Amino acid sequence: MNVARSFSSLLVTGGCGFIGSAFIRGLFSNLAFDGRVVNLDALTYAGNPESLAGAVDPERYVFVHADIRDADAVRAVIERYAVDGIVNFAAESHVDRSIVAPDAFIETNVVGTFKLLELVRENPSLHFHHVSTDEVYGSLGPTGAFREDTAYAPNSPYAASKAASDHLVRAYARTYGLSVTVSHGSNNYGPYQFPEKLIPLMILNLFESEPLPVYGDGSNVRDWLHVEDHAEAIWAIVRSAPAGETYNIGGNAERTNLQVVRSLIQAVVEETGRPASALESLLRFVTDRPGHDKRYAIDASKLQRELGFSPSREFESGLRQTVSWYARHGAWVERVRSGAYRDWIQTNYRDRTPK
Ligand code: NAD
Ligand code: TYD
């Protein structure tokens, strides 16, 4: 049975990242939230408050520079701002980084989620939504799709850390009777994504005539979900899903990596008028990622059936808009790459961490 949750003060963790910032921009626009948003973010390399510039109502928005592992800081935020719901986006999110340096993934994704759950245990009237990934289900063969009851089989340290956090969320709900929901999104794309993930990396390399490194033979398949569809789906789940439920969120856009790169080449040709042959010549097949999952696909029928949600953005036009966005936001790219937005923070934000 669906519910109708409402919130007056929502704590969003990781709200300066790619998806968290899209969610907060949505809360102040099409998602039409009228309460307070408290954005708590540690500002790692992936967290950029500039992604929210001009998109929030300063009367109803608070930024707190803190780490989700710091229970005292988060507890103070919950008390000071009378938080009645948490949406947890804070995470280390890049598979390649997790292969090279997994420690931070265990710290933030596992320990950080555990610390948040302990605080929900102290404040059991809070609703907790955990943003997870389809990568916890492992890798598919040529057919089939992940369902919510598919067995977990994570293959990267990133996926394992997300799986571990999902298990903690489930266990805390069962053991302590907490109100939780969990979502498993597929690969996201759209504006404001840090240029280490496939799509923004390829777009910028195309703009700059740098090589396009395709892992293996480019035949790995991902399902692509526009970040704004993802934000809308999460909001539908947070507000309406029964406690204890989990939902897969997909974009109805399964593509091989090579198809994605070729679509990007086409989109950059349209954007810049450069000849396709010059861009095609940048393609490089490089050594594969260890443990590289072959295929992800999402069965999102539960979300459609129970909450009436399905994504509305079509992949190829979403890609073209994303290419245009990166073409028009060179200054944003410049600053995230250099970390220079940290200076911008000093001049534009007061550190409002409760003392
Ligand atoms: P991101 O890397 O762009 O952003 C992560 C944010 O969390 C950053 O703002 C960072 O500063 C913050 N953060 C990191 N460690 C923190 C800590 N210890 N305390 C407080 N803040 C911290 O990630 P994203 O792509 O926006 O992903 C957000 C969530 O969605 C993650 O949980 C990820 O697993 C999940 N997800 C991502 C995708 C995807 O394709 N990107 C798909 C499905 C699910
Ligand atoms: P990525 O954006 O890292 O997401 P994930 O690994 O979480 O799915 O990668 C998407 C796909 O693109 C994945 O199959 C790995 C591949 N890939 C490349 O081929 N080259 C690259 O430079 C990157 C970053 C990814």
Side-chain angles (χ1 to χ4, degrees):
M1 178 80 82
N2 291 350
V3 299
R5 273 183 212 99
S6 61
F7 303 93
S8 58
S9 187
L10 204 55
L11 173 58
V12 178
T13 66
C16 294
F18 169 48
I19 308 173
S21 70
F23 182 71
I24 292 179
R25 288 192 302 275
L27 288 177
F28 286 98
S29 55
N30 61 312
L31 304 183
F33 177 59
D34 58 10
R36 174 168 48 217
V37 176
V38 184
N39 173 12
L40 184 144
D41 198 297
L43 300 180
T44 67
Y45 77 96
N48 180 3
E50 201 182 337
S51 301
L52 291 164
V56 298
D57 172 358
E59 298 295 314
R60 297 191 290 116
Y61 175 76
V62 181
F63 171 67
V64 179
H65 185 192
D67 192 306
I68 57 167
R69 291 170 303 164
D70 183 347
D72 291 340
V74 184
R75 184 183 294 108
V77 165
I78 291 172
E79 286 169 10
R80 177 167 175 174
Y81 298 109
V83 166
D84 52 9
I86 301 178
V87 184
N88 181 30
F89 291 92
E92 289 292 333
S93 68
H94 189 41
V95 171
D96 292 328
R97 283 180 190 257
S98 84
I99 293 169
V100 178
D103 305 48
F105 289 73
I106 306 305
E107 284 297 328
T108 286
N109 301 0
V110 186
V111 177
T113 304
F114 159 70
K115 298 278 185 181
L116 291 177
L117 288 166
E118 280 288 292
L119 291 169
V120 181
R121 209 178 137 199
E122 286 176 19
N123 298 274
S125 63
L126 277 177
H127 180 72
F128 183 79
H129 180 78
H130 186 59
V131 179
S132 187
T133 164
D134 62 352
E135 304 198 21
V136 298
Y137 299 122
S139 184
L140 290 165
T143 59
F146 299 134
R147 292 161 42 101
E148 288 79 1
D149 57 5
T150 299
Y152 276 40
N155 290 321
S156 70
Y158 163 65
S161 69
K162 293 297 291 185
S165 65
D166 293 359
H167 290 324
L168 285 169
V169 174
R170 177 192 161 94
Y172 269 63
R174 292 288 177 114
T175 303
Y176 304 113
L178 306 182
S179 176
V180 306
T181 43
V182 177
S183 55
H184 299 276
S186 59
N187 283 61
N188 280 217
Y189 73 101
Y192 298 100
Q193 187 168 30
F194 191 84
E196 63 185 350
K197 304 270 168 73
L198 179 72
I199 287 178
L201 179 80
M202 293 294 172
I203 293 172
L204 296 179
N205 285 8
L206 282 162
F207 287 167
E208 294 161 6
S209 297
E210 292 291 334
L212 309 173
V214 175
Y215 297 164
D217 62 3
S219 65
N220 300 64
V221 174
R222 297 292 183 262
D223 172 64
W224 292 96
L225 170 65
H226 194 282
V227 68
E228 288 159 19
D229 277 323
H230 194 187
E232 288 168 19
I234 289 171
W235 188 227
I237 295 166
V238 168
R239 282 186 312 157
S240 310
E245 291 295 324
T246 68
Y247 295 86
N248 289 346
I249 311 171
N252 293 329
E254 270 186 61
R255 301 284 186 281
T256 66
N257 292 336
L258 198 51
Q259 282 174 318
V260 171
V261 175
R262 290 203 192 284
S263 293
L264 286 170
I265 289 173
Q266 186 53 35
V268 172
V269 167
E270 288 169 26
E271 179 70 32
T272 62
R274 289 169 62 195
S277 54
L279 300 178
E280 290 268 350
S281 70
L282 299 170
L283 268 173
R284 301 280 186 283
F285 293 96
V286 301
T287 309
D288 209 353
R289 171 190 281 171
H292 194 177
D293 286 335
K294 186 68 186 176
R295 176 171 166 265
Y296 301 150
I298 288 271
D299 177 344
S301 56
K302 180 180 175 189
L303 185 62
Q304 158 73 43
R305 193 174 57 248
E306 296 187 4
L307 300 183
F309 182 90
S310 46
S312 61
R313 289 153 183 93
E314 190 271 325
F315 182 60
E316 268 71 24
S317 66
L319 268 193
R320 283 195 294 276
Q321 285 162 7
T322 305
V323 166
S324 285
W325 187 89
Y326 279 92
R328 286 180 286 106
H329 289 79
W332 181 91
V333 169
E334 187 73 22
R335 286 194 293 272
V336 291
R337 276 176 163 173
S338 68
Y341 61 85
R342 290 175 195 285
D343 303 334
W344 187 91
I345 297 162
Q346 301 305 325
T347 49
N348 289 275
Y349 279 88
R350 223 158 28 93
D351 183 353
R352 290 196 260 179
T353 308
K355 296 289 179 261

